[in-house]
Amino acid sequence: MSVLVFAEHDGARVTEATRRAISAATTLGTPVDVVVAGGEEAASVAESLAVAGVNRVWLCLGAIYADQLAEPLAERVSRLIQDEGYQALVAATSTQARDLLPRIAAALDVQMLSDVIAIEDTETFVRPIHGGSVLARLRCREPVKVLTVRATRFERPEAGDLPAVERLEAGTESGPTRLLEEHGSASDRPDLASARVVVAGGRGVADVGIEELEALADQLGAAIGASRGAVEAGLLPNEAQVGLTAKVVAPELYIAAGISGAIYHVSGMKDSGVIVAINKDPEAPIFEVADYGLVADLREALPALRTALEQA
Ligand code: FAD
């Protein structure tokens, strides 16, 4: 099967999630090709694709891709798939992929599969439904499989040789959408989606103050995550939310502080290596997925944990 991976990048490097999407793609067919589109500054992105299983990088540079808007990208990628006869397109589940891949599937007149967590063979895929409480096994007989994969469910790929890079002519239709402004919060902390350690706060953090959570995260070099409860209470920003309808994470260590463990939250973090839960309610469902559970008030537990870490 000839497989194309859509690369998400920050203008310099592909994301960790894209690297794992490459791993997923290689279970459909090897080697795979990767398409990188962006403004002129994105030329160096190809250098971050020295990954096992990658054969060729299509590099498509042009001002119309600088803002990564879905319309021109969908037009160019679907044309590439048709011209080269690819039988599958794979991307990591992300905000960008949610916008882009349905457009590509529509342009190719195929149904797409989203949030795939396992690939059994070239036609059989597994994806969670009903908030992750049911796993659906699906057979897809479309001539081109268009799928997003939950990156945390696939291994990091091995390093490989630098692949061949081929320039791809940019499209000319920029589409009707323009990026006017972008609002984001700058942070020195690791990226939530790929951090090795995540310290996540829930509504219960209101009792102790967000500074306490931040101090713990700083001590551990961790990213900060949040439940929807914490976001709705104005304790943590929206982009920190973890869960079914937000970011899906699988760090080596996930500390859930004052989070009840609703299924919507758990389905976004249950693949983490070690889960530590701190909650004053011994019946809180978060303890069902926790490897280590501490029934305690955050007002005592977080300062004690920080002191212990300082002394370690
Ligand atoms: P709560 O449920 O209010 O829990 C707070 C916890 O803190 C309690 O267990 C309490 O015992 C504990 N606590 C309080 N004070 C202290 C203290 N001093 N010390 C120790 N423990 C304390 N949620 C997500 O997180 N992510 C999602 O993506 C998401 N998507 C959703 C999608 C839909 C369609 C719907 C309907 C809901 C979604 N939710 C999501 C919301 C989810 O159902 C829960 O409401 C939310 O996760 C609860 O957040 P919480 O655990 O912080 O708050």
Side-chain angles (χ1 to χ4, degrees):
M1 186 178 238
S2 58
V3 187
L4 180 69
V5 174
F6 175 78
E8 209 166 306
H9 60 84
D10 61 5
R13 296 181 60 77
V14 292
T15 60
E16 169 68 18
T18 293
R19 295 164 72 86
R20 290 180 185 238
I22 291 170
S23 280
T26 56
T27 61
L28 286 171
T30 49
V32 301
D33 292 347
V34 180
V35 58
V36 172
E40 293 298 330
E41 79 293 341
S44 60
V45 173
E47 288 161 26
S48 63
L49 280 163
V51 165
V54 177
N55 178 46
R56 169 170 51 179
V57 176
W58 293 106
L59 189 60
C60 188
L61 304 179
I64 63 169
Y65 307 121
D67 293 331
Q68 295 287 293
L69 294 174
E71 286 128 350
L73 287 173
E75 186 280 326
R76 191 64 195 92
V77 176
S78 51
R79 195 149 49 86
L80 175 64
I81 291 169
Q82 283 166 324
D83 291 349
E84 296 293 320
Y86 286 109
Q87 294 158 298
L89 172 70
V90 179
T93 300
S94 69
T95 310
Q96 181 178 26
R98 281 193 188 115
D99 194 11
L100 177 62
L101 265 71
R103 294 170 196 266
I104 296 173
L108 299 173
D109 198 20
V110 297
Q111 301 228 17
M112 74 164 282
L113 290 163
S114 54
D115 221 10
V116 167
I117 60 165
I119 299 172
E120 292 186 1
D121 59 45
T122 54
E123 290 191 339
T124 318
F125 305 89
V126 180
R127 65 180 294 261
I129 56 173
H130 300 307
S133 51
V134 176
L135 295 182
R137 249 175 107 233
L138 303 156
R139 182 146 298 141
C140 173
R141 296 217 164 101
E142 293 287 12
V144 184
K145 319 291 188 263
V146 175
L147 53 137
T148 57
V149 294
R150 192 178 282 192
T152 52
R153 296 299 290 255
F154 296 90
E155 296 294 319
R156 283 198 174 94
E158 304 276 315
D161 296 331
L162 265 181
V165 178
E166 280 191 46
R167 289 296 280 255
L168 196 62
E169 197 190 325
T172 49
E173 290 170 35
S174 56
T177 309
R178 297 285 174 276
L179 180 73
L180 299 182
E181 277 178 76
E182 227 175 341
H183 296 273
S185 49
S187 164
D188 293 336
R189 294 211 173 83
D191 172 47
L192 176 59
S194 54
R196 290 176 57 236
V197 182
V198 172
V199 173
R203 215 186 292 269
V205 166
D207 283 351
V208 69
I210 207 64
E211 302 74 22
E212 198 63 42
L213 195 79
E214 286 174 337
L216 178 63
D218 288 343
Q219 261 178 304
L220 292 168
I224 289 198
S227 69
R228 189 196 271 194
V231 173
E232 283 173 349
L235 294 165
L236 286 162
N238 196 37
E239 62 265 24
Q241 189 177 314
V242 170
L244 179 75
T245 52
K247 292 203 171 82
V248 175
V249 300
E252 288 166 27
L253 172 63
Y254 188 93
I255 300 181
I259 294 179
S260 59
I263 181 73
Y264 290 110
H265 184 82
V266 167
S267 49
M269 46 64 83
K270 66 177 177 344
D271 294 326
S272 304
V274 174
I275 298 172
V276 175
I278 310 170
N279 197 305
K280 67 180 180 184
D281 174 9
E283 304 295 327
I286 192 73
F287 289 126
E288 287 165 27
V289 292
D291 298 287
Y292 298 93
L294 180 61
V295 180
D297 195 304
L298 291 175
R299 282 171 286 205
E300 288 160 27
L302 286 188
L305 187 54
R306 292 212 300 112
T307 308
L309 281 169
E310 266 163 30
Q311 289 165 358

